[in-house]
Amino acid sequence: MLEVRNLACSRGDHRLFSGLNFSLGAGQIMQVQGVNGSGKTSLLRTLCGFLMPDEGDIVWRGENIRDLDEEFYAEMLYLGHLNAIKDELNALENLRISSGLAGIEIDEKEALAALRRMGLRGRELLPTKVLSQGQRRRVALARMLVGDARLWVLDEPLTALDVGAVALIQELIAEHLVRQGMVIFTTHQPLQVAGVEMQCLDLSGRH
């Protein structure tokens, strides 16, 4: 369903990777690995259409994502390594606004249910600036619980999370794969999904 053909990407005059080919189908998960500076985040952002590749094509359901535009974005969820939440807004407001910007309208009941599953019960109406780093990360990751995106693109989803939250994220990913969703991610921490064969893509030395 997602196919990458002869992809190349640079940062300034530095070639990060080239000749990249892989595919990801329903119910599959892939970890992108590589040393710092090898282009992991750039690859994820390119897959989402946020960066233009130097060469190659990214194909979704048989069509180049450049030709799909909103149709592709409606089926894709990107969570960056930065939380992208507003300090002055509370967790409920942040989730509803970030979802709305992604074209997903959720009511207060849905948003509260998502935040509570993320372990934020009792903190839904607090300004996010008073939350811990781990709690702020949970607010950002609550977007995994709303909408029906088929493709999850996750950049360092486990950052600042405690053991319990890591287990929850692994559980959510497993549920998504059972629903025939797809996941491509980077992480510096071990991420294990029971009963699933993890594909690995190493960008080290791919330039």
Side-chain angles (χ1 to χ4, degrees):
M1 194 174 288
L2 176 71
E3 188 176 359
V4 169
R5 303 171 181 168
N6 198 37
L7 202 67
C9 184
S10 300
R11 183 185 295 131
D13 295 330
H14 176 61
R15 176 59 63 92
L16 294 171
F17 53 80
S18 61
L20 208 59
N21 295 278
F22 66 87
S23 61
L24 197 65
Q28 294 185 325
I29 182 170
M30 174 180 286
Q31 179 176 0
V32 180
Q33 301 174 321
V35 298
N36 288 342
S38 60
K40 298 186 295 294
T41 292
S42 294
L43 172 59
L44 296 193
R45 292 182 61 81
T46 302
L47 293 177
C48 296
F50 303 149
L51 299 176
M52 287 293 293
D54 298 339
E55 302 169 13
D57 296 297
I58 301 163
V59 177
W60 175 253
R61 297 185 186 273
E63 293 188 60
N64 196 299
I65 65 169
R66 290 194 297 270
D67 301 325
L68 290 174
D69 198 32
E70 294 302 321
E71 298 169 59
F72 175 62
Y73 294 125
E75 294 196 276
M76 182 270 296
L77 166 67
Y78 172 74
L79 291 173
H81 62 276
L82 299 177
N83 290 324
I85 58 178
K86 302 289 187 182
D87 282 350
E88 66 275 14
L89 300 179
N90 62 39
L92 179 64
E93 292 166 334
N94 265 293
L95 178 56
R96 294 190 70 185
I97 289 172
S98 63
S99 298
L101 291 172
I104 303 164
E105 297 298 330
I106 57 171
D107 60 27
E108 183 173 311
K109 184 178 179 181
E110 290 176 283
L112 286 172
L115 292 167
R116 287 166 182 168
R117 180 153 188 210
M118 291 301 301
L120 293 166
R121 183 180 293 275
R123 298 175 176 83
E124 306 95 330
L125 302 181
L126 294 176
T128 52
K129 63 184 176 184
V130 307
L131 301 181
S132 69
Q133 286 300 315
Q135 290 167 340
R136 289 161 62 87
R137 190 60 175 162
R138 288 178 187 235
V139 173
L141 293 172
R143 282 189 55 209
M144 298 166 68
L145 289 164
V146 299
D148 54 3
R150 291 295 302 279
L151 174 64
W152 288 0
V153 182
L154 312 176
D155 194 359
E156 296 291 341
L158 307 183
T159 298
L161 296 184
D162 58 23
V163 173
V166 169
L168 174 59
I169 297 307
Q170 292 176 161
E171 180 181 307
L172 296 180
I173 289 173
E175 292 173 4
H176 183 61
L177 296 174
V178 167
R179 293 192 299 267
Q180 297 302 292
M182 291 165 282
V183 180
I184 184 165
F185 71 98
T186 67
T187 181
H188 284 93
Q189 299 168 250
L191 189 155
Q192 298 174 333
V193 183
V196 175
E197 181 180 353
M198 186 84 68
Q199 299 184 51
C200 291
L201 174 66
D202 194 339
L203 295 183
S204 300
R206 297 299 296 260
H207 54 279

